Amino acid sequence: MATLANSTITAVNNIGTSPGQVIGANGSRTQITFHNPGAVDIIVFPTQVLINGANSTLTPSLGALGGGFRIFANGGDRTIKAPAACQAWQALAASGSGNPLTIMEQTQ
């Protein structure tokens, strides 16, 4: 079996409607791809964003989706490149609990 020396895939299967970290920061990450194999839309958010021009920790909710990227159900995906890809990421589901998300990160 061949190995992917610079690619790591993370499986998450517990996303609900409250935000939670799905992957930590990685300064060597050049790209991150979020893929939604499930039946419910997932929204991913960086942990740090600019709010009124200041670097701020983001606390998302279903009522405050600004700063997020919707990963549509049944095969949607989103790729984000460095430097934004390097920070930690959090996610929440549009509904339900136990929702899946596949994360592929690539490093230098």
Side-chain angles (χ1 to χ4, degrees), residues 1-64:
M1 182 167 126
T3 60
L4 300 173
N6 296 318
S7 180
T8 303
I9 297 173
T10 301
V12 181
N13 289 295
N14 61 351
I15 298 175
T17 56
S18 295
Q21 184 172 309
V22 292
I23 196 161
N26 180 346
S28 298
R29 190 181 295 141
T30 58
Q31 176 174 296
I32 190 165
T33 300
F34 298 97
H35 174 77
N36 184 354
V40 173
D41 289 357
I42 303 291
I43 302 94
V44 297
F45 304 83
T47 55
Q48 297 290 312
V49 296
L50 291 176
I51 298 176
N52 297 324
N55 191 25
S56 302
T57 299
L58 183 62
T59 305
S61 70
L62 287 175

